[in-house]
Amino acid sequence: MLEWNCQNDKGGLTMSIIGQRIKWLREQKQWSQLQLAEKLGIHNTVLSRIESGEKKGVDFHLISKVADLFEVSTDFLHGRTEELSWQRGSVRETPATFLDVDGLSEDELVEVKRHIEFLKWKALQEKNEDPS
């Protein structure tokens, strides 16, 4: 089982937290940047810029692809949690009281979770843009 432990994660970051965590996950799989970039459908120079922190504002869909590929949450990639594990069935196990998931397939539950994560990401982006 993987355990997140990266010295640069605390304090003065030279890399973005997303880039740092993507690099760490890639290295755990012993994949080159080229291998991961191919799996994600992006050019390896784009991945290099993300990992180094040079590229700001990583696309939500790319973050979702990374999360799916490594089976981690987007919250982990954003640095909102240190927990690596993410169970695809967790939406059904602990749904919000207003969320009726009866009758949905596992794929549909994953899609619901992605929509919720997108809304959380969007709210965070809007909060960061708010000058007040």
Side-chain angles (χ1 to χ4, degrees):
M1 173 155 206
L2 292 178
E3 183 176 322
W4 168 250
N5 181 12
C6 187
Q7 298 301 321
N8 292 336
D9 195 30
K10 308 281 190 272
L13 294 175
T14 56
M15 298 165 36
S16 74
I17 190 72
I18 293 171
Q20 189 176 37
R21 290 186 175 199
I22 290 172
K23 180 179 180 181
W24 183 81
L25 289 164
R26 176 180 61 76
E27 289 174 345
Q28 297 307 303
K29 296 276 191 182
Q30 299 181 341
W31 291 341
S32 67
Q33 283 184 337
L34 183 59
Q35 288 171 312
L36 177 56
E38 286 175 355
K39 292 175 188 302
L40 296 173
I42 61 174
H43 197 276
N44 64 306
T45 57
V46 173
L47 178 59
S48 176
R49 291 179 62 223
I50 291 169
E51 287 186 358
S52 71
E54 183 182 339
K55 179 168 176 34
K56 306 294 184 213
V58 181
D59 180 79
F60 171 76
H61 297 292
L62 181 59
I63 292 172
S64 291
K65 277 184 176 181
V66 171
D68 288 346
L69 182 63
F70 290 107
E71 297 182 338
V72 298
S73 70
T74 57
D75 280 347
F76 173 76
L77 293 174
H78 283 287
R80 288 181 237 161
T81 183
E82 301 301 310
E83 295 295 318
L84 273 168
S85 62
W86 174 60
Q87 301 299 321
R88 291 189 181 272
S90 64
V91 173
R92 185 182 304 279
E93 293 164 11
T94 57
T97 56
F98 64 88
L99 190 60
D100 180 9
V101 296
D102 289 341
L104 296 179
S105 70
E106 291 301 312
D107 288 341
E108 291 165 332
L109 288 172
V110 169
E111 188 64 26
V112 168
K113 179 152 178 59
R114 283 190 188 132
H115 284 293
I116 291 169
E117 288 175 348
F118 172 74
L119 292 172
K120 288 170 53 179
W121 173 83
K122 184 178 170 187
L124 180 66
Q125 296 302 310
E126 289 171 357
K127 181 179 177 186
N128 289 339
E129 291 174 6
D130 187 8
S132 55

mmCIF file of all heavy atoms in Angstrom, residues 6 12 22-23 26 28 32 40 58 63 65 78 80 91 104 118-120 123 127:
data_model
loop_
_atom_site.group_PDB
_atom_site.id
_atom_site.type_symbol
_atom_site.label_atom_id
_atom_site.label_comp_id
_atom_site.label_asym_id
_atom_site.label_seq_id
_atom_site.Cartn_x
_atom_site.Cartn_y
_atom_site.Cartn_z
ATOM 1 N N CYS A 6 6.177 13.122 1.358
ATOM 2 C CA CYS A 6 7.045 13.916 0.505
ATOM 3 C C CYS A 6 7.548 15.110 1.287
ATOM 4 O O CYS A 6 6.764 15.887 1.800
ATOM 5 C CB CYS A 6 6.300 14.365 -0.745
ATOM 6 S SG CYS A 6 7.365 15.184 -1.925
ATOM 7 N N GLY A 12 7.985 25.856 2.098
ATOM 8 C CA GLY A 12 8.245 26.550 0.838
ATOM 9 C C GLY A 12 8.248 25.631 -0.358
ATOM 10 O O GLY A 12 9.197 24.905 -0.590
ATOM 11 N N ILE A 22 1.422 14.529 -8.610
ATOM 12 C CA ILE A 22 1.413 13.752 -9.849
ATOM 13 C C ILE A 22 2.787 13.110 -10.062
ATOM 14 O O ILE A 22 2.883 11.924 -10.388
ATOM 15 C CB ILE A 22 1.015 14.624 -11.062
ATOM 16 C CG1 ILE A 22 -0.467 14.999 -10.972
ATOM 17 C CG2 ILE A 22 1.316 13.904 -12.377
ATOM 18 C CD1 ILE A 22 -0.919 16.010 -12.014
ATOM 19 N N LYS A 23 3.838 13.880 -9.849
ATOM 20 C CA LYS A 23 5.191 13.347 -10.012
ATOM 21 C C LYS A 23 5.421 12.194 -9.043
ATOM 22 O O LYS A 23 5.955 11.147 -9.423
ATOM 23 C CB LYS A 23 6.225 14.442 -9.778
ATOM 24 C CG LYS A 23 7.653 13.937 -9.933
ATOM 25 C CD LYS A 23 8.667 15.043 -9.722
ATOM 26 C CE LYS A 23 10.076 14.473 -9.893
ATOM 27 N NZ LYS A 23 11.097 15.484 -9.678
ATOM 28 N N ARG A 26 3.516 9.137 -10.190
ATOM 29 C CA ARG A 26 4.178 8.590 -11.388
ATOM 30 C C ARG A 26 5.416 7.798 -10.994
ATOM 31 O O ARG A 26 5.644 6.686 -11.478
ATOM 32 C CB ARG A 26 4.549 9.729 -12.344
ATOM 33 C CG ARG A 26 5.334 9.277 -13.564
ATOM 34 C CD ARG A 26 5.682 10.429 -14.490
ATOM 35 N NE ARG A 26 6.505 11.457 -13.906
ATOM 36 C CZ ARG A 26 7.821 11.347 -13.691
ATOM 37 N NH1 ARG A 26 8.462 10.239 -14.006
ATOM 38 N NH2 ARG A 26 8.500 12.364 -13.172
ATOM 39 N N GLN A 28 6.002 6.352 -8.163
ATOM 40 C CA GLN A 28 5.627 5.132 -7.451
ATOM 41 C C GLN A 28 5.361 3.991 -8.433
ATOM 42 O O GLN A 28 5.615 2.832 -8.138
ATOM 43 C CB GLN A 28 4.387 5.359 -6.571
ATOM 44 C CG GLN A 28 4.583 6.380 -5.471
ATOM 45 C CD GLN A 28 5.773 6.102 -4.595
ATOM 46 O OE1 GLN A 28 5.888 5.040 -3.997
ATOM 47 N NE2 GLN A 28 6.696 7.053 -4.535
ATOM 48 N N SER A 32 7.932 6.782 -16.734
ATOM 49 C CA SER A 32 8.596 7.999 -17.201
ATOM 50 C C SER A 32 7.509 9.054 -17.455
ATOM 51 O O SER A 32 6.313 8.735 -17.529
ATOM 52 C CB SER A 32 9.355 7.727 -18.498
ATOM 53 O OG SER A 32 8.436 7.452 -19.547
ATOM 54 N N LEU A 40 -2.274 9.804 -20.457
ATOM 55 C CA LEU A 40 -3.190 10.922 -20.237
ATOM 56 C C LEU A 40 -3.598 11.621 -21.535
ATOM 57 O O LEU A 40 -4.497 12.458 -21.524
ATOM 58 C CB LEU A 40 -2.548 11.943 -19.295
ATOM 59 C CG LEU A 40 -2.263 11.455 -17.883
ATOM 60 C CD1 LEU A 40 -1.468 12.505 -17.109
ATOM 61 C CD2 LEU A 40 -3.554 11.104 -17.159
ATOM 62 N N VAL A 58 -4.109 23.760 -13.857
ATOM 63 C CA VAL A 58 -4.269 22.482 -14.546
ATOM 64 C C VAL A 58 -5.761 22.226 -14.775
ATOM 65 O O VAL A 58 -6.576 22.371 -13.868
ATOM 66 C CB VAL A 58 -3.625 21.336 -13.738
ATOM 67 C CG1 VAL A 58 -3.770 20.008 -14.467
ATOM 68 C CG2 VAL A 58 -2.162 21.645 -13.460
ATOM 69 N N ILE A 63 -7.042 16.603 -14.337
ATOM 70 C CA ILE A 63 -6.916 16.190 -12.925
ATOM 71 C C ILE A 63 -7.785 14.960 -12.668
ATOM 72 O O ILE A 63 -7.354 14.025 -12.002
ATOM 73 C CB ILE A 63 -7.271 17.347 -11.981
ATOM 74 C CG1 ILE A 63 -6.216 18.451 -12.090
ATOM 75 C CG2 ILE A 63 -7.387 16.857 -10.539
ATOM 76 C CD1 ILE A 63 -6.555 19.721 -11.359
ATOM 77 N N LYS A 65 -8.634 12.696 -14.888
ATOM 78 C CA LYS A 65 -7.969 11.561 -15.550
ATOM 79 C C LYS A 65 -6.841 11.008 -14.680
ATOM 80 O O LYS A 65 -6.691 9.796 -14.541
ATOM 81 C CB LYS A 65 -7.376 11.989 -16.896
ATOM 82 C CG LYS A 65 -8.314 12.006 -18.050
ATOM 83 C CD LYS A 65 -7.509 12.351 -19.309
ATOM 84 C CE LYS A 65 -8.328 12.300 -20.551
ATOM 85 N NZ LYS A 65 -7.528 12.622 -21.749
ATOM 86 N N HIS A 78 -5.203 17.940 -5.091
ATOM 87 C CA HIS A 78 -5.248 19.371 -4.763
ATOM 88 C C HIS A 78 -4.601 19.682 -3.414
ATOM 89 O O HIS A 78 -4.449 20.844 -3.063
ATOM 90 C CB HIS A 78 -6.692 19.874 -4.739
ATOM 91 C CG HIS A 78 -7.268 20.092 -6.100
ATOM 92 N ND1 HIS A 78 -6.916 21.136 -6.919
ATOM 93 C CD2 HIS A 78 -8.183 19.390 -6.805
ATOM 94 C CE1 HIS A 78 -7.584 21.069 -8.045
ATOM 95 N NE2 HIS A 78 -8.361 20.019 -8.011
ATOM 96 N N ARG A 80 -5.883 18.806 -0.467
ATOM 97 C CA ARG A 80 -6.900 19.009 0.565
ATOM 98 C C ARG A 80 -6.974 17.866 1.551
ATOM 99 O O ARG A 80 -7.639 17.975 2.584
ATOM 100 C CB ARG A 80 -8.276 19.218 -0.081
ATOM 101 C CG ARG A 80 -8.387 20.564 -0.751
ATOM 102 C CD ARG A 80 -9.759 20.736 -1.347
ATOM 103 N NE ARG A 80 -9.523 20.999 -2.753
ATOM 104 C CZ ARG A 80 -10.410 20.871 -3.702
ATOM 105 N NH1 ARG A 80 -11.602 20.474 -3.452
ATOM 106 N NH2 ARG A 80 -10.094 21.134 -4.944
ATOM 107 N N VAL A 91 -19.350 6.616 -2.699
ATOM 108 C CA VAL A 91 -20.516 7.475 -2.886
ATOM 109 C C VAL A 91 -21.766 6.768 -2.382
ATOM 110 O O VAL A 91 -22.602 7.360 -1.718
ATOM 111 C CB VAL A 91 -20.686 7.856 -4.377
ATOM 112 C CG1 VAL A 91 -21.983 8.593 -4.601
ATOM 113 C CG2 VAL A 91 -19.505 8.681 -4.837
ATOM 114 N N LEU A 104 -28.647 3.472 -9.442
ATOM 115 C CA LEU A 104 -27.540 3.899 -10.296
ATOM 116 C C LEU A 104 -26.461 2.820 -10.344
ATOM 117 O O LEU A 104 -26.182 2.171 -9.347
ATOM 118 C CB LEU A 104 -26.929 5.208 -9.774
ATOM 119 C CG LEU A 104 -27.818 6.438 -9.789
ATOM 120 C CD1 LEU A 104 -27.064 7.644 -9.213
ATOM 121 C CD2 LEU A 104 -28.303 6.748 -11.193
ATOM 122 N N PHE A 118 -16.249 18.409 -9.420
ATOM 123 C CA PHE A 118 -16.150 19.567 -10.305
ATOM 124 C C PHE A 118 -16.788 20.789 -9.656
ATOM 125 O O PHE A 118 -16.229 21.880 -9.684
ATOM 126 C CB PHE A 118 -16.807 19.294 -11.663
ATOM 127 C CG PHE A 118 -16.903 20.525 -12.520
ATOM 128 C CD1 PHE A 118 -15.767 21.033 -13.134
ATOM 129 C CD2 PHE A 118 -18.100 21.181 -12.687
ATOM 130 C CE1 PHE A 118 -15.831 22.182 -13.911
ATOM 131 C CE2 PHE A 118 -18.178 22.323 -13.460
ATOM 132 C CZ PHE A 118 -17.040 22.834 -14.073
ATOM 133 N N LEU A 119 -17.956 20.607 -9.064
ATOM 134 C CA LEU A 119 -18.634 21.732 -8.410
ATOM 135 C C LEU A 119 -17.804 22.270 -7.247
ATOM 136 O O LEU A 119 -17.722 23.488 -7.041
ATOM 137 C CB LEU A 119 -20.026 21.320 -7.934
ATOM 138 C CG LEU A 119 -21.034 21.033 -9.057
ATOM 139 C CD1 LEU A 119 -22.319 20.450 -8.477
ATOM 140 C CD2 LEU A 119 -21.318 22.289 -9.861
ATOM 141 N N LYS A 120 -17.169 21.377 -6.500
ATOM 142 C CA LYS A 120 -16.294 21.810 -5.411
ATOM 143 C C LYS A 120 -15.102 22.584 -5.964
ATOM 144 O O LYS A 120 -14.713 23.625 -5.428
ATOM 145 C CB LYS A 120 -15.820 20.600 -4.598
ATOM 146 C CG LYS A 120 -16.909 20.000 -3.735
ATOM 147 C CD LYS A 120 -16.547 18.675 -3.123
ATOM 148 C CE LYS A 120 -15.269 18.631 -2.369
ATOM 149 N NZ LYS A 120 -14.979 17.308 -1.768
ATOM 150 N N ALA A 123 -16.259 26.012 -7.173
ATOM 151 C CA ALA A 123 -16.493 26.907 -6.039
ATOM 152 C C ALA A 123 -15.171 27.422 -5.480
ATOM 153 O O ALA A 123 -15.047 28.603 -5.129
ATOM 154 C CB ALA A 123 -17.288 26.186 -4.954
ATOM 155 N N LYS A 127 -13.952 31.254 -5.347
ATOM 156 C CA LYS A 127 -13.535 31.822 -4.056
ATOM 157 C C LYS A 127 -12.166 32.460 -4.191
ATOM 158 O O LYS A 127 -11.921 33.535 -3.646
ATOM 159 C CB LYS A 127 -13.506 30.721 -2.990
ATOM 160 C CG LYS A 127 -13.113 31.214 -1.622
ATOM 161 C CD LYS A 127 -13.124 30.088 -0.636
ATOM 162 C CE LYS A 127 -12.658 30.571 0.727
ATOM 163 N NZ LYS A 127 -12.526 29.476 1.676
#
